[in-house]
Amino acid sequence: MRTIAPALLLALLAAAPLAIAQEGRAFNPIARPAARPALPDGAVRVTPPLPVPRERVEAAVATVAKAWSDKRLETVLAPGFQRRAELADAMQAKVPRDASLRVTAIQGWQVLDQWRLGGTLVSRVSVTVRTQVEFSDATGFQARDGTNEWVMTIRMREGGP
């Protein structure tokens, strides 16, 4: 018994560094949809959501594109837009002064959430927009294509435009 105990202890100590070096698995939680945001006071959710007319989506996209080209994008951003200051700094530092944003296509849109508040129908809409940034630099005219997802809030009066 006396000879077995030291041999067993030596075997355990020899295996201990190997146990420390073993790899552990990461814990990945199961993804689930995010909870819907709370509605403003007095708002009533519309279920199922009503379609938003194409002309309203086109007008909203054109407003954002014009604001980007005029370097006044912060005027059309929502008050709770995250990283607003970082976006404004990037617009000043990285976007050429003569750059303009041209919308080449609206690929589609989807109503994410919709509610009625007073006489207004408010829709949060995800819009897939193909754009082109155009500017001139030392090498001449440049055009950069991109596909973007814009989440917009579109307000429409009930019974009218």
Side-chain angles (χ1 to χ4, degrees):
M1 183 77 165
R2 289 182 181 225
T3 58
I4 295 176
L8 183 61
L9 182 61
L10 267 171
L12 289 174
L13 286 176
L18 298 175
I20 293 172
Q22 288 182 352
E23 178 181 344
R25 293 189 176 247
F27 178 77
N28 296 323
I30 297 171
R32 62 179 173 79
R36 284 185 161 179
L39 297 179
D41 291 338
V44 177
R45 183 166 275 122
V46 177
T47 306
L50 303 172
V52 177
R54 180 175 189 84
E55 52 274 359
R56 295 293 297 190
V57 173
E58 288 175 346
V61 167
T63 300
V64 172
K66 180 157 178 43
W68 191 97
S69 296
D70 294 344
K71 307 296 186 258
R72 55 175 188 80
L73 187 59
E74 64 278 349
T75 63
V76 296
L77 295 177
F81 187 84
Q82 294 182 4
R83 301 170 62 183
R84 174 188 287 264
E86 185 177 338
L87 177 60
D89 290 345
M91 288 289 294
Q92 290 294 323
K94 296 181 181 180
V95 177
R97 297 214 183 273
D98 68 336
S100 64
L101 183 70
R102 185 167 64 91
V103 175
T104 58
I106 296 175
Q107 292 183 324
W109 64 93
Q110 175 182 355
V111 177
L112 300 175
D113 201 6
Q114 195 173 64
W115 62 90
R116 285 189 173 93
L117 183 59
T120 306
L121 181 67
V122 182
S123 306
R124 284 189 64 241
V125 181
S126 169
V127 185
T128 304
V129 183
R130 291 198 46 140
T131 58
Q132 190 171 60
V133 176
E134 302 171 339
F135 61 94
S136 295
D137 65 2
T139 60
F141 179 77
Q142 301 288 321
R144 303 284 193 258
D145 293 322
T147 302
N148 309 284
E149 179 188 16
W150 297 354
V151 177
M152 311 175 91
T153 303
I154 298 176
R155 291 176 173 80
M156 298 181 291
R157 288 184 311 193
E158 295 274 42

